[in-house]
Amino acid sequence: MSVLTGLVRPVRQTDLTGLNLGSLMVQKIGSSRPLRSFWINTRRYLRKNKAINWKANEGVLHHQDQESIIDHLIGLHHLSRRCTHDGLHIQDEDIVEAIEDAGFEAEILPDSTVSQPKSQKTLSGQFRIGGMTCAACVNSVEGILKKLPGVKRAVVALATSLGEVEYDPSAISKDEIVQAIEDAGFDAALLQSSEQDKVLLSVTGLHTEGDVDVLHDILKKIEGLRQFGVNFGNSEIEIVFDPEVVGLRQIVDTIEMESNDRLKAHVQNPYLQAASNDAQEASKTLHLLLSSLLLSIPVFFIRMVCPHIPLISSFLVMHFGPFCIGDLLKWILVSMIQFVVGKRFYIAAYRALRHGSTNMDVLVVIGTTASYVYSVCALLYGAFTGFHPPIYFETSAMIITFVLFGKYLEVLAKGKTSDAIKKLVELAPATALLLLKDKEGKYSGEKEIDASLVQPGDTLKVLPGSKVPADGVVIWGTSHVNESMVTGESVPISKEVSSPVIGGTMNLHGVLHIQATKVGSGTVLSQIISLVETAQMSKAPIQKFADYVASIFVPIVITLSLLTFLAWFLCGWLGAYPNSWSAESSNCFVFSLMFSISVVVIACPCALGLATPTAVMVATGVGANHGVLVKGGDALERAQNVKYVIFDKTGTLTQGKATVTTAKIFSGMDLGDFLTLVASAEASSEHPLAKAILDYAFHFHFFGKLPSAKDSIKKRKEEILSQWLLEVTDFSALPGKGIQCWINGKKILVGNRALITENGVNIPDEAEHFLVDMELSAKTGILVAYDGGFIGLIGITDPLKREAAVVVQGLKKMGVHPVMVTGDNWRTAQAVAKEVGIDDVRAEIMPAGKADVIRSLQKDGSVVAMVGDGINDSPALAAADVGMAIGAGTDIAIEAADYVLLRNNLEDVITAIDLSRKTFSRIRWNYFFAMAYNVVTIPVAAGVLFPFTGLQMPPWLAGACMAFSSVSVVCSSLLLRRYRKPRLTTVLQITVE
């Protein structure tokens, strides 16, 4: 086996120089021969042997003409084609001959010159997929994507018209994925990729081929730019660069400077691009609707109004050849509707059937085509026989018009469901004020730049009334910032030097200078958007029901339609019903056909497919507006059935701001020396209790001895700590117990009772009684032993959150059982639990043991939620059916949690559960409406009530009903936008006078 790999250097339209196919060097200088013909002729020869396998590693060669290929190749650093052939059946000389027959010169090169493609990591791409109408379409696209080589995972969402695909770029390219989706009958385009060093830039000023040449020359000179491709038609550049060598801002600035401001590049925002696609889809659907409506109105008038106007009626019944002018006009108008306006239905139906799936387009095509073909046959039959059966041209016209009207309303309604994402995207400012520095590091001016070009370490100026452009830290100035749009916290937050700020929040008063720490996808706002988007892409388990129904829905409807036709036709043929029933339709065939068409047209699989995803989309958006981020539809579904809510104590039920209340000595040591000793030991610990002890000791020693300026205090405190604290050796933290280390050659233990007793240190009775009294008062006792003897203890309290007791009571009212799990001692745990009203307490539990508590509660099938801080409680959050990370602040991307509660407020636990219950109540109503609609209307359309009531649903009315059924489900989901978080007074049934 020999592997042939080729490279193409950057080329111009008339310069195809240096094309290297595998081990074969192809030279054709100055040739204008189409590159496409080269590939076609060569492949045509090589594929005669079944051993040939072609594969595109990079680049695109499926364009239809030479110019589009050349445009794609301009600026492309390399393009490889691999040809693997079996040497037993075909020789290298045969390939050379094939290439020469295609008009190119070729020679065999040594294998050593062949550069092998490097293996790459798996990428995740988000693709825009247009044309999906129901769950059957989603299943079809997912099935096709999952079968592609190199695709690891594929998820497609109907409500958002998006697909997420994880793929191996060495096995398949994004263009091949797009091509596969388009081959399935849908529109597709890549929105964004996880490849951080690949960016799409839009360029203004590209008017001529000369501008393209200038841009090409500029890009070639930029060091660190590995690959680029210029799309002249869309004025875009796709670049791949090395972030360690060149920054994105440097690339943009270079393009602007080297072109003397003729060319300007801007980073494309994929979310704005998606919004533009939504607008284009709505505009396209509206255009088709208006076209169909303008053509349908004359058809309606000719059939219903004109016969009552003598002058027009006499004109319409005149003959033009064998046809009446009125019938001929209707035929022409309806043909335009059927095959021009309705072309999209035929294309989508054909592609669906070609891939073995069925969807709503198939039903529309069957119903309208049956009506149209019958009408044409009836018209021709009447023209040549003189017997004129009734024609129903207006039926297919009105069906298509109503379906398009329903699709337009559906597009508008679906756009409303994604308003949350749009609002979050709009929070990010478009520009930022960059403070420039001279060579000496002093500020020399400011420059307004695109906010997407901000880099970590940049110093930015934020004016009053403007938005913070990136996550960062305040380095100068004071102000108040409104963070409600991100965290849901309505009270403005004071900001001063060293205060963190969140990108997208509003600066209210003073001027701030901030240093950017996180930009792009690393910002809090970007992660919130990503979480909401991921949740909207995910499928709730209940969606499996809709997917299954969708897979069998259309075949069942077609079968019912055929049975309806046969039943009515056979009954009429056998004389089972009076001839007067079918007299108006001229015969039982037409009478039966109208019932059959109505059954096909009225059935609506779209309503079932939209029932769950639209509700989940709206709910996740509403949750984000209230500071509750949901990671997926499955989390929403589980949360509605929560039976137990487990609370961590520190930082969850309590404020997480531990303070020392007591320090008592049980030896002859001085209090100051005791605090210095303990503070020195705890200085190396990151535990909140350690910080409280250190602050208390520092305050004891240096209160009133520091200057008043805050900057000076901070610097002075760091200096004092480095000089005041004693040297510590062999420090070690013991999870769930405390710490131990050596000071002055003697061992010191700081921790709970278990740590002290395990090391053989006796606790005096007086100290034990004092410790018990503290624990009964909900305080935590920290014991200290030094050089083998007990020397004292410190009492620490962590105040409860003001809403803790009310929230616990509210959960009980909702039928949820609260449980507290903590590593603290039993007396303190029980005192805290009694204060908040929790009856079930599990104390002295190690972090890993919390997961065991959860599993014990899950044994009877109960759904358990865990509320923790998302750091120490990660094992428990992962083990719980529903993990809720509360008070996560800027660390919102907690993998273990299903819910991220941005505000440090326990009320959001109730909001999360209540939102889940409201959402799935709405989903059940959606399914009820969708199922009830089909169960009721299909029999009515089939004529079940006709023998008793004379009620017959004409096909055009069936089309109207079908169009509005899916719209009604989407509108039902949109009612969730009116959701208001429950007030605790309502939950507790408290009457406020």
Side-chain angles (χ1 to χ4, degrees), residues 514-691:
I514 68 167
Q515 186 174 47
T517 55
K518 294 181 180 179
V519 299
S521 60
T523 63
V524 170
L525 183 59
S526 294
Q527 291 186 37
I528 290 176
I529 293 173
S530 178
L531 283 177
V532 175
E533 198 171 52
T534 301
Q536 294 181 349
M537 283 293 298
S538 67
K539 292 185 178 181
I542 196 173
Q543 181 69 29
K544 294 179 181 178
F545 167 74
D547 292 343
Y548 172 73
V549 173
S551 65
I552 62 174
F553 187 88
V554 175
I556 289 177
V557 169
I558 295 174
T559 303
L560 290 175
S561 175
L562 292 174
L563 292 175
T564 298
F565 173 79
L566 291 174
W568 281 108
F569 181 74
L570 290 176
C571 288
W573 185 55
L574 297 173
Y577 54 78
N579 290 333
S580 60
W581 286 11
S582 59
E584 186 179 345
S585 302
S586 76
N587 58 60
C588 67
F589 174 82
V590 179
F591 182 66
S592 306
L593 182 64
M594 291 300 105
F595 281 120
S596 177
I597 293 175
S598 294
V599 169
V600 170
V601 173
I602 204 167
C604 184
C606 300
L608 280 170
L610 292 168
T612 298
T614 52
V616 170
M617 278 188 69
V618 177
T620 51
V622 168
N625 290 336
H626 288 89
V628 177
L629 300 183
V630 192
K631 286 194 176 180
D634 52 346
L636 263 176
E637 184 167 346
R638 290 194 301 270
Q640 64 170 326
N641 297 317
V642 166
K643 184 177 180 181
Y644 295 97
V645 172
I646 296 180
F647 290 99
D648 175 47
K649 180 178 76 72
T650 305
T652 303
L653 289 173
T654 64
Q655 296 179 12
K657 298 177 181 178
T659 56
V660 175
T661 59
T662 306
K664 190 169 180 63
I665 310 299
F666 291 91
S667 65
M669 186 178 293
D670 179 74
L671 179 59
D673 295 337
F674 171 76
L675 291 177
T676 300
L677 192 67
V678 178
S680 301
E682 292 284 13
S684 301
S685 175
E686 296 181 356
H687 197 281
L689 299 185
K691 184 177 183 302

Side-chain angles (χ1 to χ4, degrees), residues 722-800:
S722 62
Q723 300 171 3
W724 161 57
L725 295 177
L726 304 175
E727 185 179 354
V728 174
T729 58
D730 296 334
F731 175 89
S732 61
L734 306 172
K737 296 179 182 178
I739 59 121
Q740 69 176 23
C741 59
W742 294 78
I743 296 178
N744 297 328
K746 299 176 182 178
K747 185 177 181 181
I748 181 171
L749 303 170
V750 183
N752 57 20
R753 186 184 283 103
L755 176 66
I756 301 300
T757 55
E758 284 176 5
N759 284 270
V761 178
N762 294 322
I763 303 174
D765 291 339
E766 183 184 359
E768 182 66 36
H769 293 312
F770 190 84
L771 180 61
V772 170
D773 290 338
M774 280 199 310
E775 291 172 344
L776 292 175
S777 303
K779 296 178 182 178
T780 299
I782 304 297
L783 291 79
V784 183
Y786 183 59
D787 194 22
F790 184 83
I791 60 173
L793 59 80
I794 297 174
I796 297 179
T797 184
D798 188 0
L800 286 171

Side-chain angles (χ1 to χ4, degrees), residues 276-407:
S276 175
N277 290 333
D278 288 338
Q280 290 178 6
E281 183 180 357
S283 176
K284 184 178 179 181
T285 307
L286 178 61
H287 176 73
L288 290 173
L289 171 61
L290 292 177
S291 301
S292 181
L293 189 62
L294 290 174
L295 294 170
S296 297
I297 289 175
V299 176
F300 175 79
F301 269 84
I302 292 172
R303 173 63 185 268
M304 305 299 295
V305 179
C306 293
H308 302 288
I309 304 174
L311 183 62
I312 299 178
S313 177
S314 59
F315 171 74
L316 294 176
V317 296
M318 293 173 62
H319 278 71
F320 182 82
F323 305 106
C324 290
I325 292 179
D327 292 340
L328 197 59
L329 286 174
K330 285 193 291 184
W331 188 7
I332 294 172
L333 292 171
V334 172
S335 295
M336 294 173 66
I337 297 173
Q338 187 75 30
F339 300 112
V340 179
V341 177
K343 177 183 176 182
R344 56 166 295 195
F345 296 113
Y346 281 95
I347 294 174
Y350 165 71
R351 289 173 173 172
L353 292 173
R354 189 179 67 181
H355 288 87
S357 63
T358 52
N359 56 17
M360 190 199 75
D361 298 303
V362 174
L363 296 180
V364 173
V365 166
I366 291 174
T368 57
T369 304
S371 175
Y372 178 83
V373 170
Y374 161 75
S375 299
V376 172
C377 293
L379 184 62
L380 295 174
Y381 181 80
F384 293 106
T385 65
F387 175 74
H388 295 278
I391 58 177
Y392 297 94
F393 278 124
E394 68 281 352
T395 296
S396 64
M398 296 181 73
I399 288 173
I400 290 176
T401 301
F402 278 123
V403 170
L404 288 173
F405 182 52
K407 293 305 295 179

Side-chain angles (χ1 to χ4, degrees), residues 744-963:
N744 297 328
K746 299 176 182 178
K747 185 177 181 181
I748 181 171
L749 303 170
V750 183
N752 57 20
R753 186 184 283 103
L755 176 66
I756 301 300
T757 55
E758 284 176 5
N759 284 270
V761 178
N762 294 322
I763 303 174
D765 291 339
E766 183 184 359
E768 182 66 36
H769 293 312
F770 190 84
L771 180 61
V772 170
D773 290 338
M774 280 199 310
E775 291 172 344
L776 292 175
S777 303
K779 296 178 182 178
T780 299
I782 304 297
L783 291 79
V784 183
Y786 183 59
D787 194 22
F790 184 83
I791 60 173
L793 59 80
I794 297 174
I796 297 179
T797 184
D798 188 0
L800 286 171
K801 292 179 179 175
R802 59 172 190 227
E803 75 278 4
V806 183
V807 168
V808 168
Q809 189 66 20
L811 288 172
K812 291 180 179 179
K813 288 284 186 180
M814 296 172 69
V816 179
H817 302 286
V819 181
M820 188 178 80
V821 179
T822 179
D824 213 337
N825 64 82
W826 275 101
R827 292 191 187 93
T828 303
Q830 287 175 334
V832 171
K834 182 179 180 181
E835 194 170 344
V836 298
I838 295 179
D839 302 320
D840 192 347
V841 183
R842 316 290 173 93
E844 299 181 7
I845 303 292
M846 295 292 185
K850 295 179 181 180
D852 296 330
V853 173
I854 291 171
R855 295 187 189 99
S856 68
L857 295 174
Q858 291 171 330
K859 285 183 179 178
D860 62 352
S862 298
V863 178
V864 180
M866 171 69 192
V867 185
D869 59 12
I871 301 171
N872 297 328
D873 302 313
S874 293
L877 288 167
D881 298 291
V882 181
M884 297 183 184
I886 188 169
T890 57
D891 185 22
I892 67 166
I894 302 172
E895 295 296 331
D898 301 298
Y899 281 78
V900 178
L901 312 181
L902 291 177
R903 302 187 308 163
N904 196 12
N905 193 321
L906 289 174
E907 293 179 26
D908 290 340
V909 176
I910 291 180
T911 301
I913 297 174
D914 183 69
L915 177 62
S916 173
R917 293 180 177 180
K918 293 286 198 313
T919 301
F920 273 82
S921 173
R922 180 59 54 186
I923 289 175
R924 292 186 190 97
W925 274 110
N926 287 351
Y927 277 126
F928 173 77
F929 288 137
M931 293 297 293
Y933 164 81
N934 287 293
V935 168
V936 171
T937 57
I938 290 178
V940 172
V944 171
L945 300 180
F946 183 80
F948 312 104
T949 63
L951 178 63
Q952 183 179 9
M953 183 177 290
W956 66 266
L957 181 59
C961 292
M962 186 271 283

